Amino acid sequence: MRSIRAIFIKQAKDMFKNPMVLIMFIIFPAVSLIMTELVAKSNDDIPNNMFVTMMAAIFAGMALITSMSGIIAEDIERGSLRLLVMAGVKPHQYLFGTGGFILLMGIVVSVIFTLIGDFTNTEIIKFLTVMVMSTAASIILGASIGIIAKNQQAATAIGMPFAVILGFTPMVAGFNKTVEKAASILYTQQMNVIVNDFSANFNKAMLVMGINIAVLLVLFIIIFRKRGLKV
Amino acid sequence: MIKMNGVIKRFGKNTVLTDVSFEVKKQEIFGLLGPSGAGKTTIINILTNQLNADGGNYETGASSFETGLMLDNDGLFPRLSCADNLNVFADIYNIPRKKSMEALKNVGLGEAAKKSVNNLSKGMRQRLALARAILHNPKILFLDEPTSGLDPATARGIHKLILELREKGATVFLTTHNMDEAVKLCDKVSLLHKGKIIEQGAPDEICRRYDSVKTVPDLESVFIKLTGVELE
């Protein structure tokens, strides 16, 4: 627990000095706030929460994958992870500490989204639930990419296609039925379905998201066993 | 305290260490000397359990908590301050954070405690890496090229620190390709060439053996005599 806490604190201090990661957690709620206030609220044809739900889907898909993979790849590349492990930090403690902090940041940003949007209490609970599920899935995927990547540049190169597919597919699915059908297996699409229509089948969305997390977890375990943390 | 006996290491078909044996006694400063690619870092990696040997045996007589490491790659957190870099490890080792400040003062970085690592010179980074290695008062210190690329004044500062650490009871295992550094610091050295130990003993003893004592013992000419290879 001591090591997890130390990594968590290190991550917290580091993130606020790392503009590349920090911007990911600021830009999406900021854009949704600006667009909601300037466009949605002054235009009756646009639903009040349209920009909140759109930015939330992109945030869950893009920001969390790239930040998690980037942090791990940087610590491996700089040799910091090697020293942490030599000091007695177990790989799973490192991953819990780092992932735990990203999860907390994901929850904070999700709460900010609910403050920007116009939701009832039940909708807030559903919104936060799907956001936490999506955050967890993206953290696991990001960790796998961070382990595979040889350095930060490689982490961005590998992570970006995943981030774009997961972040933007729900948006495209809104305009194309074939894409919508294909995207229904993705956790970000299920999240998008719920946050755009809180009366949609919540249990089905939870099931698909749960399966996504299970599959990503299995994938992560396979990659971790094969590659370890390359210390 | 540190023992290696007949250690062999291969990477694929390439044998990088052949029958490496040596012994380091408690409170000794031991130098592993050789050019880049000789296998020095591989030996440190094996002794610190980062790599497994393919043959032979070895022991350090110390747990990972009792071991301090300063590696070729400093592994510092670049955006954190000097103090925060050490505090991460103080928390992991479960020692009071005030020890971080003491370690910084010991390496002459007390004034730079709040400075971000990104704003440090190479010499200051090396000293910070050394502070991290000694933070928990380890029994054994592994220093991989501790003064590589440093100006003479900073290197002298690090030499002084290494000698003080030995006085305080630490056993120091260092690698270097700087023969003068080895003569100045080490009680015992092993000369490593292409993964084999080609000579070992006290620096002045080795130099006498090869008639290379001028005004000061000249290990570099011994190495050239033995291998025909100049150190970079």
Side-chain angles (χ1 to χ4, degrees), chain B residues 37-218:
Chain B
K40 304 186 296 290
T41 303
T42 306
I43 290 176
I44 285 199
N45 288 345
I46 289 172
L47 286 170
T48 53
N49 296 317
Q50 298 176 70
L51 275 179
N52 290 323
D54 295 311
N57 50 61
Y58 53 93
E59 59 172 314
T60 62
S63 66
S64 64
F65 183 75
E66 294 167 323
T67 305
L69 274 171
M70 181 183 173
L71 302 174
D72 47 349
N73 186 345
D74 63 36
L76 297 166
F77 304 115
R79 288 172 293 272
L80 298 190
S81 67
C82 296
D84 282 338
N85 259 276
L86 299 195
N87 286 340
V88 172
F89 286 85
D91 290 348
I92 291 166
Y93 292 131
N94 200 21
I95 54 176
R97 284 186 167 199
K98 66 175 183 193
K99 291 268 180 192
S100 300
M101 207 53 218
E102 283 173 26
L104 284 174
K105 281 180 186 160
N106 279 340
V107 298
L109 286 177
E111 301 281 307
K114 288 184 179 168
K115 243 186 176 182
S116 156
V117 169
N118 273 332
N119 297 326
L120 300 181
S121 66
K122 182 166 184 197
M124 289 166 97
R125 290 175 73 116
Q126 293 276 81
R127 281 189 279 155
L128 180 58
L130 185 58
R132 185 189 51 206
I134 61 173
L135 178 68
H136 54 304
N137 290 325
K139 276 188 191 170
I140 301 177
L141 259 176
F142 288 98
L143 309 175
D144 197 0
E145 309 268 3
T147 57
S148 163
L150 295 185
D151 63 90
T154 312
R156 270 198 302 276
I158 290 194
H159 291 165
K160 196 172 154 241
L161 264 168
I162 293 170
L163 292 167
E164 281 170 11
L165 289 167
R166 191 260 303 272
E167 288 310 307
K168 286 179 187 166
T171 305
V172 182
F173 184 105
L174 67 90
T175 70
T176 181
H177 56 251
N178 182 341
M179 298 289 173
D180 290 338
E181 180 172 81
V183 169
K184 216 181 285 176
L185 288 177
C186 299
D187 302 305
K188 200 158 77 185
V189 296
S190 284
L191 305 187
L192 190 70
H193 181 57
K194 293 182 179 171
K196 286 180 191 166
I197 301 245
I198 50 172
E199 188 56 273
Q200 55 187 334
D204 50 351
E205 211 179 274
I206 295 176
C207 291
R208 265 198 301 275
R209 230 176 276 161
Y210 293 89
D211 198 21
S212 283
V213 183
K214 296 172 188 167
T215 47
V216 289
D218 183 8

